Amino acid sequence: MSGGAWSPAWLSAQLRSATPPSGIGLAQVYRNTTWLAWIEALVSQFPSIYGLMGDEWAHAAAREYIRLHPPDSAVLIDIGETYPSFLATFEHASQWPWLGDVAQCDWLWSRAHVAADAQTLTRQSWLNAIANPHCSRLQLHPSCHWHWRDGAPIAQLWHDAKQRTSNTAPNWHGEGLLLTRPSSEVLSCGISAPELAFINALAIGGTLQEAVETALSNNDASETGALNTASSAHTPPPLNLARLSAKLLRMGAFMDPIYHADQ
Amino acid sequence: MTTTTQTSGATPSQLGAGLGAKPQHWDALLAVKDANFWLEVHAENHMVMGGPRLAILQTMRQRHGLSIHGVGLSLAGSVAINTQHLSKLVRLVQQVQPDLISEHLAWSADQAGYFPDLLPAARTPALLHHVVARVQLVQDALGRPIAIENPSHYTSELEHTLGEAEFLNDLAKRSGCQLLLDLNNVVLSSHNLHRDENNWVGASDWVFDLDSHAISEIHLAGISLDDNATTTWGDALWIDSHSSAISQPVWDLYQRFITHAGHKPTLIEWDNNVPAFDTLWQQRQRAQCILDKQRVFHEWWRLVTSMA
């Protein structure tokens, strides 16, 4: 195939160009369709960014991202993995340093949405696990995803953005977001630093006992840190293991069969 | 977890008029009772490991016929077929067991990435040879034939050396594939490329040269106008946007083609500016009515000829 007008190489160059090349002629029809599809797909992948920043900003940012990082997947729900990191350093988003984190929550929501189906932990399996915490390893559900940013109430910011509400006085302490999809609906909730430590410990293959110890030591550090700060309003709630267990079971964060007891 | 789905029990030849499925209409689609009703979805929207996008297809599949319509294999492209993408298609087909599978005579990928569009290629013997091999590769992976859709045309600058009917007939014959005849693509291409503003409608009659036995599905859709690009006589270019009701020239060609070729499963595509379900259903019923009349006529004709 030659490189002349309407060859694939020629058309590719017209389509990827950030601005319409002169003399593009009827290839502009394809260019319009291609860019529209890319931009609309990316904007719909990140509804919180759309809700927070508005239609014009969201479309302009999407266009700039696509110019720099042309998507390479035919599956549009899989595009945009690096959009959160792009927003984190995007010059027009510098007033909102947590914007990339909010976008990351959208991305993880979509990963939970399309994750493999799996049976969640049964009550009996949970009881078996806590009977032998030193050798029980809980496996996280395939849809279980989470995000954390030190010092930022990510879950609160993300929920507000999704609902297009503006919380003028967010409780500005570190709060991560946990996402799961035990059946058809993606569920979400906030997690504290000790709760995050608990999940991280399980995710890397730790036993239930190791996860509890990690969470408790993280809780001690958090409380010490809180004592050294002036405002108790910014203090995260102390770790409550029973409440954490109930929350994670309700969220369907674990997969069944549950645990592999070390012999 | 790999699951397979119980099917509706209708055979492809029994499928009547169907609709392109939109998520906002899932409940209405589930409630349809017509035995010959069917749905088409874009394969790429359901290439997932699990979750509601897959579950709804498996639910729909138990009630209605189903077609999986791919837009990402880039069959007319020069880079190798993406084996990961093909594997995802194979998995989806195994999971939902569709009645029909189709793709496009177009390209959408190059060495640097993927374009979310169906890009044109000049119809030449070399392209025919190339696409035959790629269609066979896909069919071997799936273990069943697929249907290939004719493209929309916006420019007369591509240097085609084979006619469209000739190319598609040879493709079907040599690869064993079926054909998906998109009559909107045919009509809008005639409008966009033909040089005689008073006779462009007749330029669609090449479809009667197609091997009608190879056609497994027909698409009907609406267009939008591109005021920035024009035909040779200055009319706004017609764009295959699937964003409006089916135009009268497409209905006219459809009526003539069904009379010529007999019953064919027919899909109403309306993907953008999607209207209320009732509006879509009216379009579907209009196509179904044409199919029903053809079937009655066909049965009457068979009776008459058997008595002669």
Side-chain angles (χ1 to χ4, degrees):
Chain A
M1 293 177 184
S2 73
W6 289 98
S7 69
W10 177 85
L11 189 52
S12 292
Q14 313 302 309
L15 298 178
R16 285 212 175 83
S17 171
T19 52
S22 62
I24 186 172
L26 287 170
Q28 181 65 31
V29 172
Y30 294 101
R31 198 171 180 287
N32 290 345
T33 315
T34 296
W35 279 79
L36 182 69
W38 268 334
I39 290 170
E40 292 304 328
L42 193 71
V43 168
S44 65
Q45 278 277 69
F46 296 92
S48 302
I49 301 305
Y50 185 89
L52 275 173
M53 308 305 287
D55 184 86
E56 189 178 348
W57 195 99
H59 281 81
R63 178 176 287 277
E64 179 63 4
Y65 169 75
I66 288 162
R67 186 181 71 79
L68 296 169
H69 310 280
D72 61 358
S73 173
V75 180
L76 291 178
I77 198 172
D78 288 343
I79 72 168
E81 183 171 10
T82 58
Y83 189 53
S85 56
F86 163 82
L87 287 182
T89 57
F90 187 39
E91 60 175 320
H92 299 292
S94 57
Q95 294 176 64
W96 305 279
W98 36 262
L99 201 63
D101 298 279
V102 172
Q104 180 67 10
C105 295
D106 277 344
W107 173 255
L108 295 179
W109 184 96
S110 77
R111 295 311 90 193
H113 179 66
V114 302
D117 300 314
Q119 172 67 50
T120 54
L121 192 67
T122 63
R123 179 176 166 74
Q124 185 56 53
S125 297
W126 169 249
L127 293 174
N128 291 342
I130 59 175
N132 299 288
H134 60 287
C135 57
S136 299
R137 298 179 199 279
L138 295 170
Q139 199 168 347
L140 295 174
H141 193 272
S143 67
C144 185
H145 292 81
W146 58 96
H147 184 63
W148 176 271
R149 178 190 169 97
D150 281 341
I154 289 303
Q156 199 178 338
L157 292 168
W158 181 73
H159 279 123
D160 288 349
K162 266 185 92 71
Q163 292 160 17
R164 301 191 189 183
T165 57
S166 177
N167 189 339
T168 53
N171 193 353
W172 209 261
H173 66 74
E175 183 195 29
L177 178 73
L178 178 69
L179 296 158
T180 60
R181 203 206 71 239
S183 56
S184 59
E185 296 275 321
V186 176
L187 308 179
S188 63
C189 70
I191 49 173
S192 66
E195 291 173 337
L196 172 78
F198 181 83
I199 295 167
N200 274 335
L202 291 175
I204 60 172
T207 64
L208 192 53
Q209 183 159 330
E210 287 165 345
V212 168
E213 288 168 357
T214 305
L216 287 172
S217 62
N218 192 288
N219 187 55
D220 293 344
S222 297
E223 288 188 347
T224 305
L227 288 173
N228 293 332
T229 61
S231 171
S232 60
H234 291 180
T235 307
L239 179 66
N240 180 321
L241 280 171
R243 199 175 299 157
L244 171 61
S245 305
K247 177 160 74 175
L248 294 178
L249 288 173
R250 189 178 65 247
M251 290 279 288
F254 305 118
M255 188 165 75
D256 205 270
I258 44 130
Y259 78 110
H260 310 283
D262 292 334
Q263 299 300 312
Chain B
M1 172 163 39
T2 300
T3 57
T4 55
T5 304
Q6 188 179 0
T7 65
S8 69
T11 65
S13 63
Q14 293 171 324
L15 300 178
L19 289 173
K22 296 287 128 191
Q24 59 267 47
H25 295 147
W26 286 137
D27 290 344
L29 292 166
L30 275 171
V32 173
K33 303 289 186 200
D34 299 38
N36 58 9
F37 179 67
W38 58 288
L39 299 168
E40 186 164 281
V41 295
H42 283 182
E44 286 71 14
N45 288 342
H46 299 271
M47 287 179 172
V48 295
M49 294 302 292
R53 287 181 181 228
L54 186 57
I56 190 67
L57 282 197
Q58 292 173 324
T59 301
M60 289 288 179
R61 188 68 192 96
Q62 293 169 13
R63 304 188 187 188
H64 303 308
L66 181 68
S67 166
I68 297 291
H69 188 51
V71 296
L73 276 178
S74 192
L75 290 173
S78 55
V79 293
I81 285 181
N82 184 322
T83 53
Q84 275 190 330
H85 191 86
L86 181 56
S87 297
K88 289 178 183 176
L89 180 64
V90 170
R91 186 180 65 204
L92 179 62
V93 166
Q94 288 172 342
Q95 285 167 326
V96 300
Q97 299 290 316
D99 296 293
L100 303 165
I101 309 170
S102 51
E103 252 286 352
H104 294 82
L105 179 59
W107 65 277
S108 50
D110 66 3
Q111 298 287 1
Y114 174 81
F115 299 107
D117 201 356
L118 300 164
L119 302 169
R123 294 184 305 270
T124 63
L127 181 72
L128 177 60
H129 180 77
H130 182 64
V131 176
V132 164
R134 288 159 78 93
V135 167
Q136 286 174 328
L137 185 151
V138 172
Q139 293 182 148
D140 287 348
L142 291 167
R144 55 187 284 187
I146 63 173
I148 301 300
E149 178 179 336
N150 56 297
S152 306
H153 299 289
Y154 301 104
T155 174
S156 54
E157 293 175 35
L158 280 167
E159 295 177 356
H160 301 292
T161 61
L162 295 174
E164 194 148 8
E166 179 185 10
F167 189 100
L168 292 169
N169 284 340
D170 276 359
L171 175 60
K173 190 174 174 185
R174 289 166 57 178
S175 71
C177 77
Q178 299 160 334
L179 299 177
L180 192 175
L181 177 58
D182 188 314
L183 290 176
N184 188 50
N185 290 356
V186 171
V187 170
L188 78 83
S189 299
S190 298
H191 171 268
N192 291 342
L193 304 190
H194 203 63
R195 295 184 176 278
D196 181 354
E197 74 177 293
N198 297 314
N199 194 33
W200 65 264
V201 173
S204 297
D205 282 359
W206 65 265
V207 296
F208 297 99
D209 295 330
L210 288 169
D211 175 7
S212 60
H213 296 293
I215 297 171
S216 57
E217 180 182 346
I218 289 178
H219 275 181
L220 306 175
I223 57 155
S224 60
L225 305 182
D226 187 339
D227 293 327
N228 297 315
T230 59
T231 64
T232 53
W233 70 83
D235 207 10
L237 215 65
W238 287 9
I239 305 297
D240 183 31
S241 59
H242 302 176
S243 61
S244 60
I246 296 157
S247 66
Q248 191 57 44
V250 172
W251 281 121
D252 292 344
L253 184 61
Y254 177 62
Q255 173 73 69
R256 290 172 60 214
F257 193 80
I258 290 298
T259 302
H260 160 79
H263 181 95
K264 298 291 177 189
T266 301
L267 186 88
I268 310 298
E269 288 185 296
W270 198 325
D271 297 318
N272 298 299
N273 299 325
V274 179
F277 183 76
D278 288 350
T279 304
L280 281 178
W281 189 250
Q282 285 167 12
Q283 298 268 292
R284 184 266 175 188
Q285 290 298 76
R286 187 169 171 180
Q288 185 61 50
C289 185
I290 290 170
L291 291 175
D292 289 343
K293 283 180 181 170
Q294 186 279 334
R295 193 179 286 268
V296 169
F297 177 80
H298 179 72
E299 286 168 4
W300 172 80
W301 183 252
R302 200 170 55 181
L303 186 66
V304 168
T305 51
S306 69
M307 292 167 67

